[in-house]
Amino acid sequence: MALAEARGRLLRWPRVLLFGDSITEYSFQENGWGAYLAERLVRKCDVVNRGISGYNTRWAKLILPRLITESTSADSIVAVTIFFGANDSALKELNPKQHVPLEEYAANLKSMVQYLKSVDITADRIILITPPPLQEAAWEKACLAKGDKLNRCNATTGQYAQACVQVARECGTDVLDLWTLMQKNQDFSSYLSDGLHLSTKGNSFLAAQLWSRLENKLSALPSLLPYWRDVDHTNPEASLL
């Protein structure tokens, strides 16, 4: 086969898309949950980080159609995580820019799931993730260091987590209820670095919980390109093209 012809047969890696706020954006840092997934899926999938720090669902639903379109990318996506709520649940009177009312938050999540379905990403490939619990004392300290007041509370975050779970139930998607799971251990502060974002332990916890859901979905995916010992070194074109 001519090399020119081979170049036309593009190798297309399946993709796992991580869509969320700063907790997703930071997930490729050392010991991050996104990096964990990427390591587990190397040679099988590209894990694509589309975390955008500070964003809420009101903004996210506008962006999603610019990230995934039926004509260009949807067919290669084997899983999508939608991980918002930590900013939506900010207290309106203290953080009006990021705050999104609870009912709108649920509607926005539902809208994003419906959009994904409209471009043929089926419900079984979508995982909603609730915001983690908020450790108020630690987050208040972080706020005060920036000259702000405590602008979130854990009980309110819990309402948004419950709404996320309900949307998943209504839309038929999987859901990872991080808010509830992390609080099964009464002292959940070790899961958080500053009361809001994940610590190394929190990243490991999320990675393990998420992998338990993704492993079955993705276990059948083959490794791309043959193992090097299996390449016919006398005629590599036969193995690689």
Side-chain angles (χ1 to χ4, degrees):
M1 181 185 297
L3 285 178
E5 183 183 346
R7 290 192 191 102
R9 299 174 59 215
L10 183 67
L11 272 171
R12 298 190 68 190
W13 252 246
R15 295 186 302 151
V16 175
L17 182 74
L18 312 181
F19 187 41
D21 53 33
S22 57
I23 303 175
T24 298
E25 182 175 325
Y26 302 160
S27 72
F28 273 31
Q29 293 179 351
E30 186 176 4
N31 299 314
W33 61 273
Y36 175 96
L37 293 180
E39 181 182 358
R40 292 297 177 281
L41 293 169
V42 69
R43 291 279 295 278
K44 289 176 177 266
C45 292
D46 283 338
V47 179
V48 181
N49 186 334
R50 293 294 180 264
I52 309 161
S53 179
Y55 275 50
N56 57 31
T57 57
R58 182 181 293 164
W59 305 340
K61 74 172 185 178
L62 300 177
I63 296 166
L64 186 58
R66 301 181 65 196
L67 299 178
I68 302 172
T69 63
E70 187 173 18
S71 61
T72 60
S73 58
D75 62 336
S76 68
I77 291 178
V78 292
V80 181
T81 60
I82 300 178
F83 189 4
F84 289 94
N87 297 317
D88 298 69
S89 60
L91 302 176
K92 181 179 181 179
E93 61 274 17
L94 293 171
N95 191 348
K97 185 166 186 176
Q98 290 179 301
H99 169 80
V100 171
L102 183 61
E103 296 76 12
E104 183 190 343
Y105 167 73
N108 291 340
L109 285 179
K110 189 173 294 187
S111 174
M112 286 190 275
V113 171
Q114 289 170 342
Y115 173 75
L116 292 175
K117 289 180 178 179
S118 78
V119 294
D120 295 329
I121 296 175
T122 51
D124 63 313
R125 286 185 275 165
I126 302 168
I127 302 175
L128 301 186
I129 306 176
T130 77
L134 181 82
Q135 213 291 321
E136 293 174 14
W139 184 242
E140 183 174 28
K141 184 177 179 182
C143 290
L144 290 173
K146 299 175 183 177
D148 299 326
K149 296 179 180 179
L150 177 64
N151 55 24
R152 290 165 171 80
C153 76
N154 192 41
T156 301
T157 303
Q159 293 174 350
Y160 284 71
Q162 290 168 15
C164 180
V165 171
Q166 181 61 31
V167 168
R169 187 176 298 123
E170 293 172 2
C171 294
T173 72
D174 201 350
V175 64
L176 176 50
D177 185 358
L178 207 55
W179 190 86
T180 297
L181 288 169
M182 282 188 167
Q183 290 184 94
K184 285 185 176 179
N185 174 357
Q186 287 188 335
D187 181 16
F188 61 88
S189 60
S190 62
Y191 291 129
L192 304 167
S193 62
D194 57 4
L196 176 69
H197 300 94
L198 300 180
S199 64
T200 296
K201 183 178 178 181
N203 272 281
S204 296
F205 182 84
L206 172 52
Q209 292 290 331
L210 190 53
W211 182 244
S212 72
R213 288 159 172 79
L214 284 173
E215 188 173 15
N216 288 338
K217 300 177 191 292
L218 306 180
S219 59
L221 290 172
S223 289
L224 293 162
L225 294 174
Y227 179 54
W228 71 270
R229 290 187 185 276
D230 297 330
V231 175
D232 181 354
H233 70 282
T234 63
N235 183 19
E237 290 86 352
S239 302
L240 302 177
L241 297 181

